[in-house]
Amino acid sequence: MNEYSMMTQELQDLAALSMEHGQIPSGLYDQYHVLRGLRDVNGKGVLAGLTDISTITSSKEVDGKMVPCDGELRYRGYDIHDLVDGFVAEQRFGYEEVAYLLIFGRLPEEEELKEFQKLLGSYRTLPTNFVRDVIMKAPGKDMMNTLQRGVLTLYGYDDMADNISIPNVLRQCLQLTSTVPLLAVYGYQAYNHYVEGKSFYIHSPKPELSTAENILRMLRPNKKYTPLEARVLDVALVLHMDHGGGNNSTFTNHVVTSSGTDTYSAMAASLGSLKGPKHGGANIKVVHMFDEMKRTVKDWEDEDEIKNYLLKLLNKEAFDHSGLIYGMGHAVYSISDPRARIFKGFLDKLAREKGYDEEFEFYNRVERLAVETIQEKRRIYKGVSANIDFYSGLMYRILGLPDQLFTPMFAVARMVGWSAHRMEELATNSKIIRIAKLGNFNLAHGFFRNVTFFNCNHRKVCILVSSFYLCGNCTINIQVSISIYIILSFLFCTYHITSDKADTQCSSALHYMIVGSNEKFIIILSDNNTRTASCTGIFHSIAEKAANFLHAY
């Protein structure tokens, strides 16, 4: 291990100190009705925005009650089954056509599609010497980080990088949609050569080919692929293209875009989100879980042996000891994931063509038994089914894609969805997305001892309990600097309430807050006599009384 990566005992001790004072007690989340992950136990999420790009349905109203149903995914109102059936039946590649739909809001006419394919083909190139100077000179072992670096480096080649007008952002999004496949494949080729010592080759894409065809052409030494291989990869890209605005990477894109930042930074942020094993990296977890399962389960047709291994997974006795069966369950879908159902049908055909029948049947058997095992072992509040990650890794393996490119293929597809959502955010909203309400939490050794946020008469109110008096000639130290920063984040009107004049000052502050016209208020409860680590009872009492008084209005 190099010196840069070494973990010293000092760091271990500091990490322990950070954990000791960096965790919020779990009970406070329930006490203040904060939904972890912004979802309740039934999977119902917090409404944080609106989107017209794609919609997800997992339940329907029956006799006045919401009941689970087979999952539905619609792109701009079109059911994903109908879209896939349409271009497959007519033997067309769907990636470019569905990209047009998501970005522009309607399906293209035949001539429009040809022009759009031609435009994407013209953008399917990297700046002069980019491969040599960026990709080859600094190969990375993680392709998602390589993608992020490549996208951020392209910022330096764009003379209008910071221009966030809609036409310019559209240009940037279409260019990234076309070049991200090159960044992914070329990044892998550099890693495979410089890190793994394998042969190095760079195949240029052909503008007249589809995205799926070009990926297989650039990746394989002989540039050959079968029509079924290209069509299955094309379907996979379409199914991964978008999934509502609430998934982690897309919501990240909305949040970052709302700050007014450039396209490259917004896309790099989404890539960082997608890399996580709880999001885009889940398909790798599934494949590695199955690798161990295939080594452990001697008879792939023995359902008792399979179920025993699944129980070990749930009991944290196998694989990564997380207690999870990767690829099973979804934050929204319960009875079924429509993408997984479509995916499974095409994977069946590919498995038969490539001689993976036995492995496909093993996956199929595990899927069925996993549902039974989870339902027997755990109390679940909604149904459980296989999600798209359950089968996508196997499909990539059959196509010969290396594990390092599994999540980048997700990114290649989702780049279209991120582009559509970025355009929607810029066209629709002018406000930065920021958290509107925080619960109550205690900082044992922090500057503010108690912070409470709530709403009163459509006004945002913040009560702070601090151990320093922020008036007069106080010393400007780091703690006061922090306090000033926090105050400025909310400040329109501030009231300093000290222990010796608490009753009078509190009454005055509360009266002004009720009758005043300002939209945001801060009450600072402070003690100008003590600087102890713990807050005295009077301040908690004042904060509680103030909150109750204001809530009454």
Side-chain angles (χ1 to χ4, degrees):
M1 181 180 294
N2 62 54
E3 185 176 350
Y4 183 80
S5 306
M6 288 186 64
M7 187 62 60
T8 64
Q9 185 59 47
E10 180 183 12
L11 286 173
Q12 295 281 8
D13 295 340
L14 288 172
L17 181 63
S18 175
M19 288 295 293
E20 180 182 352
H21 300 287
Q23 290 183 317
I24 296 174
S26 58
L28 290 177
Y29 287 89
D30 294 331
Q31 182 179 347
Y32 294 99
H33 310 292
V34 176
L35 301 180
R36 293 196 184 197
L38 301 183
R39 291 191 175 276
D40 62 19
V41 293
N42 296 312
K44 184 178 180 180
V46 174
L47 186 63
L50 300 173
T51 182
D52 191 40
I53 294 168
S54 65
T55 55
I56 305 166
T57 303
S58 60
S59 60
K60 291 184 177 181
E61 187 173 345
V62 178
D63 297 329
K65 296 182 179 180
M66 299 304 295
V67 297
C69 67
D70 283 320
E72 296 178 2
L73 173 61
R74 293 180 179 273
Y75 289 170
R76 297 286 190 175
Y78 290 91
D79 189 286
I80 190 64
H81 287 87
D82 295 335
L83 288 172
V84 173
D85 289 345
F87 64 74
V88 168
E90 297 180 13
Q91 296 187 331
R92 303 191 313 272
F93 287 98
Y95 180 85
E96 291 75 16
E97 182 177 348
V98 178
Y100 188 102
L101 169 66
L102 286 177
I103 294 174
F104 302 112
R106 64 172 177 82
L107 287 169
E109 300 291 342
E110 184 176 353
E111 193 59 34
E112 290 175 327
L113 178 58
K114 289 180 180 179
E115 289 300 316
F116 186 62
Q117 291 170 330
K118 183 178 179 180
L119 179 62
L120 291 180
S122 69
Y123 285 150
R124 202 171 282 131
T125 183
L126 291 168
T128 303
N129 298 329
F130 190 93
V131 174
R132 182 195 68 190
D133 296 339
V134 178
I135 296 177
M136 292 175 61
K137 286 188 176 179
K141 63 180 181 179
D142 188 286
M143 294 306 104
M144 289 299 290
N145 287 352
T146 297
L147 274 182
Q148 280 185 297
R149 186 188 66 201
V151 167
L152 288 172
T153 304
L154 286 171
Y155 171 96
Y157 291 81
D158 188 346
D159 293 337
M160 299 178 67
D162 290 309
N163 184 324
I164 60 172
S165 66
I166 295 298
N168 191 60
V169 170
L170 175 61
R171 170 188 65 83
Q172 294 169 331
C173 288
L174 295 181
Q175 287 176 332
L176 287 174
T177 296
S178 297
T179 56
V180 162
L182 278 66
L183 294 175
V185 175
Y186 292 170
Y188 171 73
Q189 301 292 19
Y191 159 81
N192 202 36
H193 176 65
Y194 291 106
V195 179
E196 297 296 329
K198 305 292 179 63
S199 298
F200 182 68
Y201 45 85
I202 296 291
H203 298 320
S204 299
K206 287 190 173 183
E208 67 272 16
L209 296 180
S210 69
T211 298
E213 290 174 302
N214 269 310
I215 289 173
L216 294 175
R217 181 181 188 277
M218 292 187 294
L219 184 63
R220 295 179 172 179
N222 62 5
K223 299 182 281 189
K224 303 295 184 181
Y225 53 87
T226 69
L228 179 60
E229 287 177 323
R231 296 200 181 279
V232 169
L233 180 57
D234 179 68
V235 169
L237 294 176
V238 169
L239 294 177
H240 283 91
M241 199 170 279
D242 194 53
H243 203 239
N247 67 79
N248 196 278
S249 58
T250 302
F251 186 63
T252 295
N253 198 283
H254 273 277
V255 172
V256 176
T257 293
S258 76
S259 74
T261 193
D262 64 277
T263 298
Y264 304 94
S265 296
M267 296 306 183
S270 291
L271 285 166
S273 165
L274 190 69
K275 177 188 175 183
K278 295 180 181 180
H279 192 9
N283 52 21
I284 295 180
K285 282 286 191 179
V286 174
V287 168
H288 292 170
M289 177 187 73
F290 266 95
D291 286 343
E292 183 185 88
M293 195 185 309
K294 287 183 288 186
R295 292 191 297 268
T296 304
V297 176
K298 304 304 179 183
D299 184 355
W300 291 5
E301 295 183 1
D302 188 334
E303 296 193 358
D304 289 335
E305 189 178 4
I306 295 173
K307 201 166 184 177
N308 182 56
Y309 180 84
L310 295 175
L311 283 170
K312 289 183 178 180
L313 286 174
L314 294 177
N315 291 330
K316 301 182 179 182
E317 299 171 354
F319 188 45
D320 62 356
H321 307 286
S322 66
L324 300 174
I325 300 178
Y326 290 100
M328 298 302 300
H330 190 270
V332 180
Y333 299 122
S334 54
I335 294 180
S336 64
D337 181 338
R339 304 167 301 171
R341 296 204 309 271
I342 297 172
F343 210 101
K344 189 175 178 179
F346 284 93
L347 181 58
D348 188 10
K349 297 176 184 177
L350 182 66
R352 295 182 191 282
E353 178 183 280
K354 297 297 182 180
Y356 282 80
D357 309 55
E358 185 179 359
E359 191 159 354
F360 175 76
E361 289 302 325
F362 181 55
Y363 268 71
N364 196 24
R365 196 172 294 115
V366 170
E367 177 192 2
R368 175 172 52 82
L369 294 174
V371 172
E372 296 177 6
T373 306
I374 293 172
Q375 290 175 337
E376 293 171 4
K377 179 69 177 177
R378 292 185 174 168
R379 179 184 178 186
I380 55 176
Y381 298 91
K382 62 187 185 72
V384 63
S385 61
N387 59 50
I388 191 171
D389 295 316
F390 190 85
Y391 286 103
S392 62
L394 175 60
M395 188 275 284
Y396 293 147
R397 279 272 179 92
I398 296 176
L399 288 177
L401 268 68
D403 292 6
Q404 292 89 340
L405 285 180
F406 285 10
T407 308
M409 286 301 104
F410 197 156
V412 167
R414 194 54 64 88
M415 188 61 63
V416 173
W418 295 336
S419 298
H421 283 275
R422 175 164 169 79
M423 300 277 290
E424 182 182 60
E425 182 67 32
L426 289 173
T428 305
N429 299 314
S430 59
K431 291 186 176 181
I432 187 171
I433 298 174
R434 56 169 297 166
I435 202 163
K437 184 175 181 180
L438 292 175
N440 183 307
F441 59 96
N442 295 312
L443 306 176
H445 299 284
F447 182 68
F448 293 117
R449 305 307 173 197
N450 185 283
V451 187
T452 304
F453 298 82
F454 53 87
N455 294 320
C456 171
N457 281 355
H458 307 291
R459 299 185 175 95
K460 298 187 186 305
V461 180
C462 174
I463 294 180
L464 305 177
V465 177
S466 78
S467 60
F468 288 88
Y469 186 45
L470 301 181
C471 290
N473 299 318
C474 60
T475 302
I476 301 298
N477 55 24
I478 184 62
Q479 292 179 318
V480 174
S481 299
I482 292 173
S483 74
I484 293 172
Y485 173 80
I486 296 176
I487 291 171
L488 290 177
S489 299
F490 300 93
L491 185 58
F492 279 89
C493 179
T494 306
Y495 265 84
H496 302 275
I497 300 178
T498 57
S499 58
D500 54 342
K501 299 180 181 179
D503 291 338
T504 303
Q505 292 177 344
C506 189
S507 297
S508 175
L510 296 179
H511 173 74
Y512 186 80
M513 291 174 67
I514 298 304
V515 301
S517 60
N518 290 352
E519 292 185 353
K520 293 185 180 179
F521 298 86
I522 293 185
I523 295 179
I524 302 180
L525 308 177
S526 57
D527 185 351
N528 54 347
N529 298 315
T530 180
R531 297 190 177 192
T532 57
S534 62
C535 201
T536 59
I538 185 172
F539 297 124
H540 289 291
S541 176
I542 294 173
E544 184 177 357
K545 289 179 180 178
N548 291 336
F549 184 84
L550 288 168
H551 279 307
Y553 282 80

